[in-house]
Amino acid sequence: MDINVTVTGQTLIPTNIRKQQVVAGTQEFIRFVFALAEDWADLKIFAQFTQNDTAYSVYLDSDNAAYLPSEITTGAMAVALQGNSGDVIAKSMPLIFKVYADPVSSDSESTSITLTLYEQLVAEFQEIKDSEASRVTAESARVSAETARVTEYNSLVTKLSTKLTEVENELADIKEAIEALNSGDGIQIYYDDDERLSYDYTE
């Protein structure tokens, strides 16, 4: 379930809901999607959900979205944005929601715990690191395959070169034999215009 929020300057404006209210007890279900103005471009932004003086901060993902933390319970809840880049710190006004009690009784509690901003950054870094490691592994495999192809090609060239040398040596021996025969009387052996061996009788 998406709650679309337009960010204009420091103001958050919900655009697809009539009432600012949600039900407690959800987990990765209610997603706040923020349409950011240019003022917020190039900032590292997190949404902060505050209830009863306790804050849960969640970095926006690639869709500029953040899920409502499962720790949010019955009562009032505020959500606000903060963005940082170098010396720049941007903050929004809070958007207030009423959170209704979970109407579904259950014997188990939510197992989700919202990570700290530091933990989220570590997880993001690890994801990037794993992705880069996979890319390096794939590139290494590609280079190895290319090296194997080059080695195979060089081996083939060496074999062909050796074979060519053998043929040239055989041709040299044949020419030497022809010259020896031509030095005698009776038959003259030579190559015709089509590079085929021919002979003539001589007197």
Side-chain angles (χ1 to χ4, degrees), residues 22-25 51-52 71-77 97-103:
V22 294
V23 175
Q51 186 178 59
N52 299 327
E71 295 90 344
I72 296 297
T73 59
T74 307
M77 181 269 296
F97 277 77
K98 180 178 181 180
V99 183
Y100 286 91
D102 184 353

Side-chain angles (χ1 to χ4, degrees), residues 135-156:
R135 187 195 67 79
V136 170
T137 299
E139 180 65 16
S140 177
R142 187 194 68 79
V143 171
S144 296
E146 186 66 24
T147 301
R149 284 195 293 269
V150 171
T151 301
E152 183 179 1
Y153 172 80
N154 290 337
S155 176
L156 179 60

Side-chain angles (χ1 to χ4, degrees), residues 76-155:
M77 181 269 296
V79 57
L81 294 181
Q82 177 169 321
N84 303 79
S85 179
D87 296 331
V88 178
I89 300 176
K91 296 188 178 184
S92 75
M93 295 289 291
L95 191 60
I96 309 300
F97 277 77
K98 180 178 181 180
V99 183
Y100 286 91
D102 184 353
V104 181
S105 61
S106 174
D107 294 333
S108 61
E109 296 293 334
S110 169
T111 57
S112 176
I113 298 177
T114 301
L115 301 177
T116 66
L117 292 179
Y118 172 75
E119 291 170 331
Q120 293 174 54
L121 284 176
V122 170
E124 182 180 354
F125 173 77
Q126 186 62 47
E127 183 178 350
I128 294 173
K129 181 180 177 181
D130 292 343
S131 176
E132 181 64 15
S134 297
R135 187 195 67 79
V136 170
T137 299
E139 180 65 16
S140 177
R142 187 194 68 79
V143 171
S144 296
E146 186 66 24
T147 301
R149 284 195 293 269
V150 171
T151 301
E152 183 179 1
Y153 172 80
N154 290 337
S155 176

Side-chain angles (χ1 to χ4, degrees), residues 5 11 17 25 59 61 64 136 146 148 174 188 197 199:
V5 181
T11 304
I17 56 174
Y59 277 112
D61 60 19
N64 290 326
V136 170
E146 186 66 24
I174 292 173
Q188 182 179 18
L197 283 175
Y199 64 89

